[in-house]
Amino acid sequence: MSEMYPNALKITGHYNDNELELFQQETTERILLKDETLLHQGQVAKSVYFLIEGAVYQSLSQSTVNYNIIDLHLKNEWFFNAESFISQHPSNHDIVAFKQSVILELSIESIHYLVGKSISFLQLNRILTNGSSRAYLFDNMLNPLQKYQFIIDNKRDLIQMYPLKMIASYLKITPETLSRIRNKLVKNIS
């Protein structure tokens, strides 16, 4: 069994070998090309995804000129369009591969099937609460410096993977404000 399957499940809880095998049977490995859209605006989200390799973002606009980033995802992370998946209403944004990516897809039907086979799969509910970083950023009235510091402390790899313009959009600040914050942090270190 590939190491990616236990890694994907380890994030959600503890499973025995039989459950790992069931999970592997119910997931689909997919390769997304750079800029390929996984979920389009107007589609209903029917799956959750685990990012094995690459980078994926959620955006109100796929335009590289004017980003409106909802979320940024890195490898070894579960992601999905929470609002559409939970309500089963059309998505109001896209999920797009920032670079070529390898993902595992687990459909809502497969989740129900797995839970029917073993109550251990109720631990998959942890995927649904995976947006805690984003909630922390926007529910705690953080100033721009505190938002960027949160990224440094908790998701530093975002800074290495994504352009500053996308990170600024994700933090809901201007690129100029982000540049000032980064300069201030550099001066404080010196």
Side-chain angles (χ1 to χ4, degrees):
M1 177 182 309
S2 173
E3 192 63 31
M4 68 186 138
Y5 294 97
N7 286 344
L9 276 182
K10 183 170 40 175
I11 292 170
T12 67
H14 301 286
Y15 302 87
N16 65 38
D17 290 341
N18 184 46
E19 291 161 342
L20 285 172
E21 192 173 311
L22 277 171
F23 177 78
Q24 183 175 354
Q25 291 169 4
E26 289 300 312
T27 55
T28 304
E29 183 177 330
R30 294 180 56 187
I31 296 174
L32 301 175
L33 301 176
K34 178 180 176 17
D35 297 326
E36 184 177 343
T37 302
L38 181 61
L39 179 72
H40 292 274
Q41 290 179 18
Q43 288 181 317
V44 176
K46 301 271 187 199
S47 297
V48 295
Y49 309 95
F50 183 77
L51 190 54
I52 298 167
E53 193 63 48
V56 174
Y57 65 94
Q58 297 190 47
S59 173
L60 291 176
S61 168
Q62 196 175 337
S63 163
T64 56
V65 176
N66 189 15
Y67 288 109
N68 193 345
I69 301 296
I70 303 301
D71 216 339
L72 301 170
H73 304 288
L74 299 167
K75 73 179 193 172
N76 294 322
E77 183 179 316
W78 284 96
F79 67 95
F80 64 108
N81 179 317
E83 186 178 326
S84 177
F85 184 81
I86 292 167
S87 70
Q88 287 298 284
H89 287 92
S91 170
N92 62 359
H93 59 272
D94 298 321
I95 299 177
V96 182
F98 177 67
K99 59 187 281 188
Q100 183 168 317
S101 300
V102 181
I103 63 169
L104 289 179
E105 180 175 4
L106 182 63
S107 72
I108 195 168
E109 293 85 9
S110 290
I111 293 170
H112 291 145
Y113 171 77
L114 291 170
V115 169
K117 289 292 190 180
S118 170
I119 61 169
S120 291
F121 287 108
L122 287 173
Q123 297 173 95
L124 290 172
N125 281 331
R126 291 186 180 143
I127 296 170
L128 301 178
T129 60
N130 205 19
S132 58
S133 296
R134 183 167 166 67
Y136 178 84
L137 281 173
F138 301 107
D139 289 351
N140 287 300
M141 307 281 293
L142 302 178
N143 66 41
L145 177 59
Q146 291 168 322
K147 288 179 181 180
Y148 189 68
Q149 189 64 53
F150 180 82
I151 295 291
I152 291 170
D153 294 342
N154 295 285
K155 292 186 95 173
R156 180 177 285 280
D157 291 343
L158 287 178
I159 299 166
Q160 312 302 316
M161 181 63 68
Y162 293 99
L164 293 178
K165 186 174 183 177
M166 289 180 80
I167 293 170
S169 177
Y170 171 63
L171 295 175
K172 306 303 179 222
I173 60 177
T174 65
E176 296 78 17
T177 299
L178 182 55
S179 289
R180 283 193 298 276
I181 290 167
R182 289 170 55 88
N183 288 336
K184 183 176 183 177
L185 289 175
V186 168
K187 287 178 185 175
N188 288 344
I189 292 172
S190 305

